[in-house]
Amino acid sequence: IRAPLPSRRIHFTCNKVALDWRDKIPEGYSLLSVDSKLDVDALEFPEDIRKWMEHSLEDQKKRGFSKCLVHGNSVVVWINADCASGDECEIGIITTEDYRRRGLGALTAAAAVDYCLNSSYSLVGWHSDHGNAGSIGVAQKVGFVKERDYVHYICMFSEAEHFAESGLRHFYN
């Protein structure tokens, strides 16, 4: 029997965007809505983004508040519409490694949050691993405020994956 693996997490919430993202999207980049009009076949997805977004693409297209930032025709930032209930929603973000530390994730996240707050949502949530300085920094730059610390537990079905994940958590925590 495998014991659940704990990880320290932070939940942030935002009800007002602090980052003025309009007119700041660099030349050669396009901010796209992930909705029924998005032609995913016309875009190139790095493997890390494809794996992350593929499982819920149809749900994200229906919700319409996911965003992606495209450089040329390659997706470099993807905002997941993780869940929505009532007037609250949650987003997740991934930025490809070569495009990090340029403010692109923050611009894309600010656009997504702005869209949410100007639609039917009054509060947007964001979860981050406690040690993920990049995620925490982006959240704060956009206007998210720490709501609480918590512990998240997972258990992998595959014994090998569970063992590998356990090693990673001991290394990073």
Side-chain angles (χ1 to χ4, degrees), residues 18-155:
L19 177 64
D20 180 15
W21 61 273
R22 289 176 175 76
D23 302 323
K24 294 204 171 50
I25 304 296
E27 191 173 321
Y29 291 79
S30 301
L31 179 67
L32 304 176
S33 292
V34 179
D35 56 22
S36 60
K37 299 173 194 162
L38 182 68
D39 183 5
V40 293
D41 294 329
L43 299 172
E44 292 179 16
F45 289 87
E47 189 61 27
D48 54 347
I49 290 181
R50 181 169 294 283
K51 282 182 180 178
W52 197 67
M53 51 68 77
E54 229 173 21
H55 70 279
S56 61
L57 181 59
E58 290 309 311
D59 285 340
Q60 291 177 58
K61 284 181 161 186
K62 288 176 192 171
R63 288 193 187 108
F65 64 83
S66 292
K67 302 286 182 201
C68 64
L69 188 68
V70 178
H71 185 219
N73 68 335
S74 182
V75 176
V76 298
V77 180
W78 186 271
I79 303 287
N80 257 357
D82 285 341
C83 62
S85 178
D87 68 343
E88 297 181 9
C89 63
E90 301 274 334
I91 65 170
I93 182 174
I94 185 168
T95 304
T96 59
E97 194 168 336
D98 291 344
Y99 289 85
R100 292 178 185 164
R101 304 187 59 84
R102 299 183 190 185
L104 300 171
L107 291 174
T108 310
V113 172
D114 195 37
Y115 177 85
C116 292
L117 295 176
N118 286 305
S119 296
S120 59
Y121 302 103
S122 64
L123 192 67
V124 181
W126 176 299
H127 298 264
S128 177
D129 287 330
H130 191 269
N132 189 338
S135 176
I136 294 166
V138 169
Q140 292 171 335
K141 188 174 183 178
V142 170
F144 284 85
V145 176
K146 181 179 172 180
E147 190 248 339
R148 73 182 190 289
D149 292 304
Y150 67 99
V151 178
H152 171 81
Y153 293 91
I154 66 166
C155 187

